[in-house]
Amino acid sequence: MSSTNPDPTAIQKFGQAMSARVERWMPSPFLFAIILTYIAAIAAFLSEGAGATELALSWFGGFWDLLQFGMQMVLILVTAFVVAYHPWVKAVIDRLIRIPNSGRQSILLVGFVSMVTGWISWGLGLIVGAIFAREMGELADRKGMAVHYPLLCVAGYMGMSLTWHWGLSSSAGLLMNTPGNVFIEQGVVDAVISTTATIFHPYALTLTGVSIVYALIVLYLLSPPKENARGITEYMDVDHDDEEFTEQEDLDAGTSTDEEPDVVADGGEDATPTPADRINNNKILGGLIALTGVGVTAYTFLTEGLGALDLNVLNFGFMMIGLALYTSPIDYLEEFYDAVESSAGIILQFPFYAGIIGIMTGTGLVNTVTEFLISIATPQTFPVIAWITAGILNIFVPSGGGEWTIIGGSMLEAGQALGVEPGHTIMAYAVGDAHTNLFQPFWAIPLLAITGMRARDMFGYAITMLILLTPYLAVILFVLPYNAF
């Protein structure tokens, strides 16, 4: 009796078709930034009548405007990277990836972990999601389990594309809770807006929980049949003799791989450490300052509550937690070096996107777009309009805080005029900023480096996710009340 392979569903066919087209046409992330610069300039010329000199000077004028904020974002990424690569965290990942028994289960687990850790920290969610995707892809290949690697990588990117801006590292939410922020200086708001009105408000928590469930359903439906799944080996070489995998499998089987340590040959590493070596690796010196920092962070929350969370507190806390995990200062520094290397593309591209901000603000283009969208809003549709506005701007300026500094004042004032609470405005904006990361490859650069993928290899499925999330987000932002909680 012969068996026939099931035909792909309509959603699976849609994902496969989108993947084929994007793989053919999508440029690299850096070229994407350059192309968007030209598009912004052309739009400013057509809409605002800006000349070549004004465009060039506006571009140059904005090029370095995000240096402080860019450094804060890179620190979020790097400090989270160091924590994610600690052996204890890696051991947890190695255990978890052995839970799924099918390709679909693998994709769902990676997506769930990415979205939950992304809520804790976008940097942590991005790196843990990338590590999870790669390790899951390698293990599936070893076990002969069919899993579609491009969709697995998109699942690892979902924390950055859905939940992060509602979470603990929310740029807009934390910026509004920072004393003396730009909106207080401009008189848009009289005081800080506490994270209890944004990140920790039941509205944001409900959005996060329901959206995770919906996204997992979409990932499940998108997973192609086993016959159409392309594994990790189609995109990168996999070493099946990897020592970490072998040791873990031996432990799972109850066997030991312990061997006598090799003797250091003459001319090799000096067996007797120097005083400088001892100082560099002194766990007391590293551990003491790390525990002090962790204690200061805990004291800040105990005395000021959850409203104490801002970008500086978040970065300080993650830096001290990382140092506490490694304790050895030199080990922490070496891991930090590796993390900075993975963020090199982001460091390069941040000024170019700041230049796009310069074009859009210097020529008045951003005001034209924002004012038009806000002008058609009603009290009921305003959250949806805020989401759309943020989504459009995020394509050109993939920086949650950078975008918010541009349009936040106008959005808050328009929302207040319509009777919309500031916290409601901020959280509706936040999802638009995160959602279009499924189109904009800027923040995927570290994930691409870890997973061995090109942007065009996975962004067909990322754009498919963006499209399938759109009707859900439009409906829930329209019907979910903020003041009911």
Side-chain angles (χ1 to χ4, degrees), residues 137-157:
E138 291 187 1
L139 182 62
D141 186 68
R142 291 168 66 88
K143 295 169 62 176
M145 184 170 67
V147 60
H148 195 54
Y149 193 57
L151 186 58
L152 191 67
C153 293
V154 171
Y157 191 51

Side-chain angles (χ1 to χ4, degrees), residues 217-360:
I217 292 172
V218 175
L219 286 171
Y220 178 86
L221 295 174
L222 265 179
S223 300
K226 291 188 295 184
E227 295 74 21
N228 294 352
R230 289 184 287 173
I232 189 173
T233 54
E234 295 198 27
Y235 301 93
M236 61 180 295
D237 294 329
V238 175
D239 182 8
H240 286 306
D241 295 324
D242 184 89
E243 185 176 328
E244 290 183 16
F245 270 118
T246 302
E247 290 179 357
Q248 184 61 51
E249 289 179 348
D250 287 336
L251 287 173
D252 291 341
T255 60
S256 174
T257 58
D258 291 342
E259 298 178 357
E260 292 295 324
D262 295 333
V263 177
V264 178
D266 291 341
E269 186 179 350
D270 189 355
T272 304
T274 65
D277 293 330
R278 293 191 182 96
I279 294 172
N280 286 338
N281 289 285
N282 192 297
K283 295 189 175 184
I284 295 176
L285 292 177
L288 182 60
I289 194 168
L291 291 176
T292 302
V294 171
V296 169
T297 304
Y299 177 79
T300 301
F301 285 111
L302 288 173
T303 55
E304 301 181 33
L306 295 175
L309 185 65
D310 61 23
L311 285 172
N312 292 330
V313 170
L314 180 75
N315 275 328
F316 181 81
F318 259 94
M319 188 176 292
M320 292 301 115
I321 289 171
L323 185 55
L325 286 172
Y326 287 87
T327 61
S328 166
I330 197 67
D331 288 348
Y332 185 69
L333 179 63
E334 289 174 355
E335 201 65 47
F336 214 86
Y337 283 157
D338 292 339
V340 170
E341 183 178 353
S342 74
S343 63
I346 290 175
I347 296 171
L348 168 65
Q349 292 180 44
F350 232 109
F352 282 86
Y353 282 107
I356 294 176
I357 292 178
I359 292 173
M360 297 181 73

Side-chain angles (χ1 to χ4, degrees), residues 85-241:
Y85 265 96
H86 188 272
W88 291 353
V89 178
K90 184 67 163 52
V92 173
I93 292 174
D94 286 342
R95 290 290 183 184
L96 289 176
I97 63 174
R98 286 166 169 77
I99 295 175
N101 295 314
S102 68
R104 273 182 165 170
Q105 291 178 13
S106 300
I107 289 169
L108 294 181
L109 179 61
V110 171
F112 177 77
V113 170
S114 172
M115 287 185 278
V116 171
T117 53
W119 186 90
I120 296 171
S121 164
W122 67 259
L124 187 65
L126 180 60
I127 301 304
V128 167
I131 297 172
F132 240 91
R134 175 167 178 160
E135 299 292 336
M136 188 74 78
E138 291 187 1
L139 182 62
D141 186 68
R142 291 168 66 88
K143 295 169 62 176
M145 184 170 67
V147 60
H148 195 54
Y149 193 57
L151 186 58
L152 191 67
C153 293
V154 171
Y157 191 51
M158 286 307 300
M160 194 66 199
S161 306
L162 188 61
T163 58
W164 84 268
H165 215 154
W166 288 325
L168 302 183
S169 59
S170 168
S171 297
L174 298 185
L175 181 62
M176 296 308 300
N177 194 40
T178 301
N181 66 67
V182 62
F183 300 104
I184 295 176
E185 293 177 354
Q186 294 173 353
V188 176
V189 294
D190 297 328
V192 298
I193 297 174
S194 173
T195 50
T196 56
T198 55
I199 298 167
F200 300 113
H201 193 278
Y203 174 81
L205 297 176
T206 302
L207 279 174
T208 302
V210 176
S211 298
I212 288 175
V213 173
Y214 182 86
L216 291 176
I217 292 172
V218 175
L219 286 171
Y220 178 86
L221 295 174
L222 265 179
S223 300
K226 291 188 295 184
E227 295 74 21
N228 294 352
R230 289 184 287 173
I232 189 173
T233 54
E234 295 198 27
Y235 301 93
M236 61 180 295
D237 294 329
V238 175
D239 182 8
H240 286 306
D241 295 324

Side-chain angles (χ1 to χ4, degrees), residues 407-420:
I407 65 173
S410 299
M411 288 190 119
L412 288 169
E413 289 174 346
Q416 290 170 353
L418 293 171
V420 179

